[in-house]
Amino acid sequence: MNDSTTDAMISADHQTFDLTVVGGGMVGVSLALSLADSGLKIAVIDQQSLTPKQSDDSTPYAPRVSALTEASVSLFQQLDAWSLMEKQRVCSYDKMYVWDAEGTGDIAFDADEINHDNLGHIVENDVIRSALLERLSETDIALFSEQSKIDCELNDGLHTVTLDDATLQTRLLIATDGAESRLRKQAGIPSSQKDYLHHAVVTTVETEQYHQDTAWQVFLDTGPLAFLPLPSRNGRHYSSIVWSLVPDQAQRVLGLDEENFCSQLERAFESRLGKVVSADDRFCFPLRQRHSRQYHRNRVVVAGDSAHTIHPLAGQGVNLGLQDVIALSEEIHRAVSRGDDFAAEHILNRYERRRMGSNLLMMKSMEGLQNLFAADDIGVRWLRNTGLKMTGQIPFVKKQLIKQAMGL
């Protein structure tokens, strides 16, 4: 870590910044890195450590993973972080198979259909963040980590941020502090919320058979179940699972011993990869749709989960957040390059216009899919199974769906 960053982390002096990112997750660190060459004085604040932690073959797989689109990988390549992720653990997949457990409908996607090497990459969130933090430590961006106190006083001039051991003043605050963003609420940015009435159970499992470089998803009457491919180790095969269940079922599944959990999971997945041999510790979190009605107010900007969360059934959550990063950093870079006020309302309005429509469209699409596959009506079942089959038989439509999923 360079000297200026270290000084910023330990200094208790009053410090002034052009832009401060509150939240050092994948989206917040990506945004800071994207602006590192802008000439702006930038700070990143987080309650957790901002020190990178490397993973290797001996490190257990993290329970939370992301299905990165080509657009997201391209961003990480521009930030010079993708090669660091590859040195740790990434798993590309070139096929996707989706089917309805309650019917006969299914659809298969293959990267060969659009002349690509793969459809995307499954990467542990910890690996993504570690690589980004390593690159961040090489910049002049000031890092304030492990802050138990992050109090923001919003003013007409400079905002004031009081931390455990420092007080900052900043022209622009960017909230990337998660779905329950305290900064978003403090700024008075209104948001809507809808409970999907499902919880996601996540873990890593070992399967008897290789995952075939395929992302699998089955729609059950209890909710979607995804098996996402992870790198094999010593001839043993692993997948990350996301199992969407109503809350009481999720709690029941969490309470099962490992043998019974694997048995029920294998049955739900129709033994597509043979026996589910073992499972790591299980974690559970509620699924809610959230969306900010504004993306900025009084020089506070929201991005990533602070602005929107969607159902994980298509794995688009973090990719939408990274698209926010691209749009916001481009608008700020453009303003700085022409001597404009990067924190001005008209600049931030452009970011909001670029992202709000796309995010809303994806949210509505995911909501529609979730409702479609949750419906128990026999007529709706027939329509969705027929639709899956017909879509798979129309090459142009399939190609468009693949490109949309890849962020192309």
Side-chain angles (χ1 to χ4, degrees), residues 82-184:
W82 181 245
S83 59
L84 296 179
M85 297 178 204
E86 289 184 307
K87 287 178 182 177
Q88 295 183 66
R89 292 192 298 232
V90 307
C91 186
S92 65
Y93 60 97
D94 52 32
K95 298 179 183 65
M96 188 183 304
Y97 184 66
V98 180
W99 75 100
D100 185 353
E102 300 302 310
T104 58
D106 63 357
I107 188 168
F109 300 102
D110 194 314
D112 288 341
E113 296 178 79
I114 57 168
N115 298 315
H116 269 66
D117 292 335
N118 59 69
L119 297 177
H121 293 78
I122 305 299
V123 190
E124 296 153 82
N125 291 1
D126 288 355
V127 169
I128 297 172
R129 187 169 182 265
S130 175
L132 292 168
L133 287 175
E134 186 168 339
R135 289 302 181 221
L136 189 66
S137 70
E138 300 166 357
T139 71
D140 291 327
I141 293 171
L143 308 181
F144 298 87
S145 68
E146 299 179 88
Q147 299 294 318
S148 61
K149 177 182 179 181
I150 305 175
D151 291 336
C152 300
E153 179 185 328
L154 307 181
N155 304 304
D156 292 335
L158 292 172
H159 298 316
T160 301
V161 184
T162 304
L163 305 175
D164 294 340
D165 52 6
T167 299
L168 319 181
Q169 290 188 315
T170 185
R171 295 194 59 214
L172 184 66
L173 277 170
I174 300 179
T176 55
D177 51 340
E180 299 292 343
S181 172
R182 182 182 174 194
L183 180 52
R184 180 193 68 221

Side-chain angles (χ1 to χ4, degrees), residues 19 43 52 59 69 86 93 95 97 121 131 149 157 170 198-199 221 261 282 294 301 315 320-321 325 346 364 376 387:
L19 181 153
T59 309
T69 64
E86 289 184 307
Y93 60 97
K95 298 179 183 65
Y97 184 66
H121 293 78
K149 177 182 179 181
T170 185
H198 274 70
H199 287 186
D221 57 2
F261 173 77
R282 286 155 261 164
Q294 298 171 247
V301 185
L320 292 183
V325 168
H346 68 279
K364 292 299 182 184
D376 199 37

